[in-house]
């Protein structure tokens, strides 16, 4: 099955709670490539790319986040594959 990529925007109490680093670790464990960053509006944005089941698992993880996070909403949209082989915290 072909890889797929999605862009997620996670809102709630998601900055200052190790969301980005926890996301990076979860992505690496799942074999998902892409990136995650904080946004100026207080949300966290990420692109997940890889096998569909692995991408779906990361989206499900983002709906919960790390223990100190409070996720209020996760918007998911198709995205271009970012390429590469790793997962980066940017910005």
């Amino acid at each position: 099955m072909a890889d797929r990529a999605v862009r997620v925007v996670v809102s709630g109490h998601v900055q200052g709670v190790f969301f980005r680093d926890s996301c990076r670790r979860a992505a690496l464990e799942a074999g998902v490539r892409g990136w995650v960053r904080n946004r100026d509006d207080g949300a966290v944005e990420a692109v997940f790319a890889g096998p569909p089941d692995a991408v779906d698992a990361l989206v499900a993880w983002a709906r919960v986040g790390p223990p100190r996070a409070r996720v209020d909403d996760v918007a998911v949209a198709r995205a271009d594959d970012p390429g590469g082989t790793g997962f980066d915290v940017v910005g």
Side-chain angles (χ1 to χ4, degrees):
M1 183 175 258
D3 285 354
R4 74 181 185 108
V6 297
R7 175 181 169 264
V8 298
V9 177
V10 185
S11 41
H13 180 63
V14 293
Q15 291 189 14
V17 295
F18 299 100
F19 198 102
R20 293 176 299 159
D21 188 57
S22 298
C23 181
R24 182 186 61 80
R25 290 178 190 191
L28 292 173
E29 284 182 22
V32 171
R33 63 189 175 278
W35 53 264
V36 62
R37 68 178 175 193
N38 283 342
R39 292 176 22 149
D40 290 341
D41 63 2
V44 170
E45 178 179 19
V47 171
F48 303 143
D53 289 347
V55 170
D56 289 345
L58 257 291
V59 171
W61 178 90
R63 293 186 189 284
V64 177
R68 294 176 49 202
R70 186 195 75 245
V71 176
D72 294 336
D73 187 55
V74 177
V76 181
R78 284 185 175 178
D80 291 330
D81 192 314
T85 58
F87 195 90
D88 299 314
V89 175
V90 297

